[in-house]
Every structure is written in structure tokens, then in C-alpha cells.
Amino acid sequence: MDKEKMIEELNNQILKCTRCPLYKFKTNYVPGDGNPNSKILFIGEAPGREEDKQGKPFVGRAGQVLTENIKNILNMDRKDVYITNVVKCRPPENREPEEEEIKACSIWLEKQLEIIQPDIIVTLGHYSTKWIFDYFKLKFSSITKLRGKIFKVNKWGKNITIIPTLHPASTLYHKEWREYFDQDFKTIKEILNKDKREGILKFI
Ligand code: URA
């Protein structure tokens, strides 16, 4: 079965999820969006107000920042990458997701990873970085220490690159952090270019 079909079937399961109480407060489930065949996966924290309204990740103000960098720095469209969150339902009043909610929701991100098997994982902010570091048994310290660094793991019979960066919402509250966020996207771009060059070399 192809990845699109598998993601569609997975989304149908997510849309019925009652594994934690967050489903009672949400308007829409926000499973994920984009191209499941993409080499690159972005992971955020949890849907906000606009995401909850539209059922799509990163479509509010923070989403604008993310979409801008995907377009302007990576020269890609957001429909060319896959975007999801650790938690698929909006926590009330945009509070941070609780440990029990993350634990209950983790099954969905695990299944998304197994289907997409991305080459590059970009974690946006504390929660997704912590989640991915736990998943790959890497030592988590803090997002400010880890951001912009490159981590390599072996999974699905290939080398995977993990790049933690800041949460795009944080660049709205701390304008000076936008520069770090942009820098990290330039690092992602370099990795994409390098992969492309090595991919071409394989066929020469
Ligand atoms: N913040 C997130 O972490 N995810 C979204 O989808 C939107 C805002």
C-alpha cells in the first residue's frame, strides 16, 4: 500500500481517538498535513486556535512563520513537506500539553513516523524535540542548547538526520530569535542540498 493511502487510513483512526480527554474540548482533530512521501518531516507541539478551527497544523500566526521559511529558505511549498504535532487535539486555552496527554497521543506520531520514514526530522520547540530525543534514545538537554545542531540516527535501514529548532511561535514573542530560526533553516537547506548532491553522485 502506498504512503498516501496508509496516512489516509491512519488519519481515519486519529479522527475517532478518545485516548485522552483532549478530544472533548477540540473542534477538529489535527492529524497532519502535506506530502507523506516527503523526505522531510516537521513536528510541532499541539494545535492552536486556528489549527483547531481548520483541522490543519500550523495555519495560524506561528504557521505563517514556518510556511514563510519553508518557502523562502528551503524553496519548497508546505504541501511538499509533511507537518504534524506531538498532540493532535488543541489543549484548552492553548495550555501546554500534559505528560499523560502526550503519552496517550504518542501512538499516532509513532505510526506516522513508521509510515513516512523521513530522512530529515525537524523538531519545532521543546515538546517535539524532547519527544523525538526520547524516541531515538538521544540525550535531551534543552531546546536552547540543542537548536541548530545536527543529530544522526540509524532507523529503517538508513541514516536519519534530526535538527531541532525553536518553535516558530517563540519568534513572535522574542523577535530577536527569528534570526536563530532562520539560521537553522539554512542548516536544513545545506543538508537537503548535500543529500541531493550525494543522490546524483550515486547515479554517475
Ligand atoms: N503550534 C504548534 O505547535 N502546532 C501547530 O499546529 C500550531 C501552533
Side-chain angles (χ1 to χ4, degrees):
M1 206 194 299
D2 65 26
K3 290 186 183 182
E4 279 175 32
K5 192 90 199 114
M6 284 194 277
I7 282 288
E8 194 184 314
E9 288 191 0
L10 180 64
N11 288 352
N12 288 337
Q13 294 177 44
I14 297 175
L15 300 183
K16 288 186 241 148
C17 182
T18 56
R19 294 175 59 84
C20 86
L22 286 183
Y23 80 94
K24 294 181 191 159
F25 305 104
K26 57 118 195 46
T27 313
N28 284 297
Y29 290 96
V30 184
D33 188 34
N35 179 2
N37 291 301
S38 176
K39 283 162 71 86
I40 180 161
L41 172 70
F42 289 87
I43 311 173
E45 178 182 320
R49 183 199 298 272
E50 198 53 40
E51 290 76 20
D52 176 63
K53 237 195 241 171
Q54 295 190 34
K56 280 190 180 178
F58 285 101
V59 287
R61 283 203 324 134
Q64 248 172 33
V65 175
L66 176 66
T67 307
E68 245 171 58
N69 275 22
I70 291 173
K71 188 165 185 286
N72 298 341
I73 302 181
L74 304 187
N75 300 320
M76 293 172 93
D77 194 276
R78 60 171 278 155
K79 67 176 183 336
D80 300 328
V81 303
Y82 202 81
I83 307 174
T84 190
N85 284 303
V86 173
V87 169
K88 315 302 189 203
C89 293
R90 181 193 184 208
E93 309 303 324
N94 281 7
R95 69 158 167 76
E96 295 179 352
E98 288 170 4
E99 213 174 300
E100 285 308 307
E101 293 158 355
I102 292 173
K103 217 191 264 171
C105 208
S106 285
I107 175 186
W108 304 126
L109 184 51
E110 283 166 13
K111 285 178 193 260
Q112 286 173 320
L113 283 166
E114 285 298 326
I115 295 171
I116 299 168
Q117 303 194 358
D119 294 299
I120 302 171
I121 300 172
V122 182
T123 54
L124 304 161
H126 167 88
Y127 284 91
S128 56
T129 305
K130 168 98 176 52
W131 194 97
I132 281 291
F133 270 53
D134 288 351
Y135 182 77
F136 286 109
K137 302 192 168 45
L138 297 169
K139 193 174 172 329
F140 179 80
S141 51
S142 75
I143 182 62
T144 44
K145 286 205 182 112
L146 298 174
R147 67 143 276 274
K149 299 207 171 100
I150 296 167
F151 298 86
K152 298 269 186 194
V153 291
N154 201 277
K155 182 89 176 164
W156 310 303
K158 58 182 180 178
N159 288 322
I160 314 295
T161 305
I162 299 164
I163 312 172
T165 187
L166 300 173
H167 193 286
S170 72
T171 70
L172 298 169
Y173 306 121
H174 304 274
K175 297 269 184 240
E176 70 282 11
W177 290 4
R178 180 64 192 256
E179 197 183 317
Y180 300 131
F181 190 63
D182 291 355
Q183 258 175 30
D184 297 349
F185 268 72
K186 287 175 193 157
T187 306
I188 302 166
K189 177 72 180 163
E190 277 168 27
I191 290 162
L192 282 169
N193 285 345
K194 186 167 173 281
D195 283 1
K196 220 184 268 169
R197 280 198 304 275
E198 283 170 4
I200 290 165
L201 282 177
K202 253 192 235 166
F203 294 103
I204 293 176

